[in-house]
Amino acid sequence: VPTNLPSGQLPLLIALHGGLGTSEPNLRVLVVDAKAKSLANFLRAAEIKSPVSAEALGVVGATLRLNGPLKMLDVASEISAIGGRSSLAGHIDTRQLLPRVDGRVELVYPDAARFVRAIGIDWRPRAAKGGIDLAANLSGSAFEIGLHDIAGFFAGVHLNGAGASRLPLLGRKMLV
């Protein structure tokens, strides 16, 4: 917990529970829950420059569940912010040099324009365009992520497709 907060003000509530298995290195349903009315105090105290402002994020909640052998963890996560939610369900394979993730991601936000503005793009449509309801299969590592079977709606437009992206996490330029 950051120590330079005003007395009695904890910006973020975090709950952690679960256990370790005894037969081999594994987790037995490790759950992390975090909630905050605003991340403004936390970001300021931790000196984090977020690409999305605390005001744009609004009320934030996150849940992460890990379960199974450490070499092949089942993972489920959900983040609520900007008036909607994002989720991932799948597994993380740590048997390789770069851990791989395979799973299903979903984005559900009632207002596409608000979401796009929150991530830093100034999009102000003349009329309401609707929300975001997208899902895709995700697979890859910290170096390359692929999205397959993308389906759903974005601002009233039906989308289907696939794509891959090389992420700049390993010092390379992003390719889309």
Side-chain angles (χ1 to χ4, degrees), residues 10-113:
L10 292 177
L12 188 60
L13 177 62
I14 299 175
L16 174 68
H17 56 84
L20 293 174
T22 55
S23 61
E24 66 176 273
N26 69 61
L27 295 174
R28 280 209 235 123
V29 192
L30 175 66
V31 179
V32 180
D33 283 311
K35 294 181 172 109
K37 287 184 180 179
S38 171
L39 290 181
N41 288 338
F42 176 77
L43 295 174
R44 190 171 28 261
E47 298 180 5
I48 296 172
K49 301 232 186 263
S50 173
V52 179
S53 73
E55 293 75 25
L57 287 172
V59 176
V60 175
T63 300
L64 172 65
R65 291 181 191 345
L66 300 172
N67 189 32
L70 295 180
K71 60 186 174 187
M72 184 69 84
L73 278 172
D74 290 330
V75 62
S77 68
E78 184 168 305
I79 298 172
S80 59
I82 316 172
R85 70 173 177 80
S86 305
S87 63
L88 166 70
H91 64 271
I92 300 172
D93 183 350
T94 62
R95 296 175 292 184
Q96 302 172 30
L97 179 61
L98 287 176
R100 284 189 60 81
V101 64
D102 290 290
R104 184 92 174 143
V105 293
E106 293 182 1
L107 300 173
V108 179
Y109 291 89
D111 186 341

Side-chain angles (χ1 to χ4, degrees), residues 78-159:
E78 184 168 305
I79 298 172
S80 59
I82 316 172
R85 70 173 177 80
S86 305
S87 63
L88 166 70
H91 64 271
I92 300 172
D93 183 350
T94 62
R95 296 175 292 184
Q96 302 172 30
L97 179 61
L98 287 176
R100 284 189 60 81
V101 64
D102 290 290
R104 184 92 174 143
V105 293
E106 293 182 1
L107 300 173
V108 179
Y109 291 89
D111 186 341
R114 178 180 173 206
F115 178 83
V116 169
R117 283 193 307 273
I119 62 172
I121 299 169
D122 189 21
W123 181 43
R124 299 186 185 279
R126 293 177 197 222
K129 296 292 184 188
I132 301 170
D133 189 351
L134 290 172
N137 292 328
L138 174 135
S139 62
S141 67
F143 182 64
E144 186 172 55
I145 293 289
L147 292 173
H148 308 280
D149 301 325
I150 300 169
F153 293 88
F154 180 90
V157 176
H158 183 73
L159 300 174

